[in-house]
Amino acid sequence: MTIIIFIRHGQSTSNVGKILSHDVNNFPLTDEGREQAKKTAQELKRVRIDAIFTSPILRAYQTASIIGDELGIIPVIDERLRERWLGELNNKRFDPNDHWKLKIIRGQLEVKNLEPWDSLKRRMVEFVTSLKNEEVVVAVSHYDPIRAVIGHILDLDDISAHGISIPNASMTVIEFSSSPKILSIGSPVLSPSLLSKLDRYIIRA
Ligand SMILES: O=C(O)[C@H](O)COP(=O)(O)O
């Protein structure tokens, strides 16, 4: 069994600007995003962390570096954690009140070269199943890839998982075994109930 703590990167300039981007070297963390990452790092100090993996994309790598500095762990880049390939939506603004995904499902929008949901799920599950047993791992990634892990476990398609909220710097904790368990979704803190499930890994309650 492996415990994976998926963390969505802290607030970035792309989030503030409501821009979608799979670019690697654009859209850094905002000051708020750096503070969010530091707060999440303080939470993570409460459990034993064996490794940190991160998407190569700047906003995620910066988040992982802030957490790694606090925990004394050097983050390892893993391409499978990268942002969804957005095709012709890359670097485009989006309106959260008229979401592009709903437009697609209603046949009002076609997006060339958008990475399919099944591809996201496949690469995220490949990442999880590549981890060593009995480890507690932090994985810094993005909104859609983390939703895809939840979608895999709950057997939800992209639109059926649309309402899942994964705030910046939040923790989605998965106990991965032959029957995976979701211990938290988009949580800003490790709750007492969650910590009780991680009891053998606790450093400081
Ligand atoms: O739908 C969105 O807002 C973007 O896919 C978010 O991507 P991010 O997690 O990299 O900010």
Side-chain angles (χ1 to χ4, degrees):
M1 175 184 72
T2 308
I3 302 288
I4 304 108
I5 304 174
F6 285 101
I7 294 172
R8 183 179 173 204
H9 58 79
Q11 184 194 71
S12 66
T13 53
S14 55
N15 300 142
V16 171
K18 293 195 176 25
I19 297 168
L20 300 166
S21 182
H22 60 230
D23 290 353
V24 175
N25 294 315
N26 285 340
F27 305 112
L29 293 180
T30 62
D31 291 343
E32 168 67 16
R34 304 185 75 82
E35 284 311 306
Q36 290 170 342
K38 286 174 187 165
K39 283 184 184 147
T40 298
Q42 292 310 311
E43 279 297 302
L44 292 169
K45 281 182 170 178
R46 305 168 75 183
V47 293
R48 184 201 86 203
I49 303 293
D50 297 306
I52 299 175
F53 294 93
T54 180
S55 154
I57 291 181
L58 183 61
R59 53 192 181 271
Y61 187 77
Q62 288 179 318
T63 301
S65 299
I66 290 167
I67 292 169
D69 286 349
E70 286 291 330
L71 301 184
I73 300 174
I74 297 173
V76 174
I77 288 176
D78 192 305
E79 282 287 338
R80 292 170 293 193
L81 296 172
R82 70 187 182 279
E83 171 60 305
R84 185 175 200 166
W85 188 262
L86 294 158
E88 61 187 7
L89 276 180
N90 189 41
N91 294 329
K92 298 288 192 306
R93 285 185 191 286
F94 71 98
D95 175 359
N97 301 314
D98 185 20
H99 208 283
W100 57 275
K101 289 181 184 170
L102 300 179
K103 285 181 176 176
I104 292 177
I105 201 81
R106 290 179 182 135
Q108 297 161 348
L109 175 68
E110 193 184 321
V111 178
K112 288 191 181 63
N113 302 320
L114 176 68
E115 183 177 4
W117 181 249
D118 284 349
S119 164
L120 269 181
K121 289 197 294 185
R122 187 167 46 251
R123 64 175 160 93
M124 291 301 279
V125 171
E126 277 174 10
F127 165 75
V128 170
T129 50
S130 71
L131 299 172
K132 294 190 196 103
N133 205 11
E134 288 307 311
E135 277 207 327
V136 181
V137 164
V138 164
V140 183
S141 188
H142 304 264
Y143 173 65
D144 267 353
I146 295 171
R147 272 187 335 115
V149 177
I150 297 167
H152 167 73
I153 295 170
L154 300 181
D155 191 19
L156 297 175
D157 61 69
D158 194 352
I159 285 300
S160 301
H162 188 62
I164 294 173
S165 170
I166 311 284
N168 289 119
S170 67
M171 294 173 280
T172 296
V173 184
I174 309 287
E175 180 186 286
F176 215 85
S177 62
S178 51
S179 54
K181 277 191 205 140
I182 299 171
L183 304 182
S184 77
I185 297 178
S187 174
V189 297
L190 297 175
S191 69
S193 158
L194 172 52
L195 283 172
S196 69
K197 295 170 189 168
L198 300 178
D199 60 347
R200 58 179 147 158
Y201 305 110
I202 289 178
I203 294 173
R204 172 174 53 82

